[in-house]
Amino acid sequence: MDVRVADHQVETSESIKEHAVSRIEELTEKYYSRAVGANVTFGKGPHEHFVCDIVAPVGQGVVLKASHRAPTAQAAFESAADKIETQLRRYSRRLKQRKPSPEPMPDLEANASYRVFAAAEEQDDAPDNPTIVAEAKVDIPKAAVADAVMMMDLRNTTALMFRNTKTGELNMVYRREDGNIGWVEPQ
């Protein structure tokens, strides 16, 4: 497994980097041996904290993501790795049962781009209008509703648009403020 550890505007020790590689490799051996790589990024957070982001594409359109902020790089990594472990433990059986997708995986780096669609005009009396930004172009996965909820949790996002395998229509699942899952289906 290829585990890449990087620093972003912060210096971390070689021992933390080596620990990150060994912990991620242990997790994948234990729960999901098909994973091919992971990126662990240490960065600077607010109030002199460290931020650790872990992104691990595990195939078939499923990406594990976790992030945590803590006073030390070690604590930030451990908490983010614990989140990845929880995700893998919860969904390992379903991930192993997933059949490979016949479509090739998209080149995520080529599709990732930021575009400003509408900038708020700077006026003293203008209301607060947030800028609309498209964060990334991604393929919309084909999935059952339960699998879409799993992908949303593994990607650590609040919403996921998908093509329902049962109906062929675009659907969306999202995490509600009360913690439950909402499902949007067209009529």
Side-chain angles (χ1 to χ4, degrees):
M1 175 173 190
D2 180 29
V3 179
R4 296 180 183 170
V5 182
D7 296 331
H8 183 68
Q9 298 179 346
V10 70
E11 294 272 337
T12 54
S13 69
E14 285 301 315
S15 63
I16 290 175
K17 292 178 181 179
E18 290 170 6
H19 174 70
V21 170
S22 65
R23 173 93 191 268
I24 297 296
E25 287 175 346
E26 287 172 11
L27 288 176
T28 56
E29 279 180 32
K30 184 175 181 181
Y31 293 105
Y32 193 72
S33 60
R34 288 192 238 168
V36 292
N39 293 320
V40 179
T41 306
F42 291 97
K44 190 184 247 183
H47 311 294
E48 302 299 320
H49 280 92
F50 286 88
V51 175
C52 179
D53 296 312
I54 302 173
V55 178
V58 294
Q60 294 116 19
V62 178
V63 179
L64 301 173
K65 291 183 181 180
S67 182
H68 195 77
R69 184 179 67 202
T72 65
Q74 179 75 27
F77 169 74
E78 289 300 330
S79 295
D82 288 345
K83 289 177 185 179
I84 293 284
E85 184 173 17
T86 301
Q87 292 172 346
L88 283 170
R89 188 175 333 121
R90 181 180 298 151
Y91 294 114
S92 65
R93 187 177 332 116
R94 286 179 52 195
L95 286 170
K96 289 176 184 173
Q97 292 172 350
R98 283 180 63 94
K99 294 181 175 63
S101 174
E103 298 97 24
M105 285 296 295
D107 182 6
L108 295 178
E109 288 183 17
N111 286 333
S113 64
Y114 289 91
R115 293 193 192 139
V116 176
F117 286 116
E121 294 181 23
E122 295 196 27
Q123 297 176 358
D124 293 335
D125 59 344
D128 288 332
N129 292 327
T131 301
I132 300 170
V133 177
E135 292 185 345
K137 290 190 280 183
V138 295
D139 290 334
I140 296 175
K142 293 179 184 174
V145 177
D147 287 342
V149 171
M150 175 187 71
M151 283 190 265
M152 181 182 68
D153 283 344
L154 293 176
R155 292 178 182 186
N156 198 22
T157 60
T158 56
L160 177 73
M161 181 174 280
F162 66 101
R163 186 166 301 277
N164 192 326
T165 54
K166 187 174 181 182
T167 65
E169 298 289 327
L170 290 176
N171 287 196
M172 185 178 77
V173 288
Y174 63 96
R175 185 160 313 280
R176 296 167 27 134
E177 287 183 14
D178 61 6
N180 292 319
I181 303 295
W183 174 23
V184 179
E185 182 179 33
Q187 290 184 349

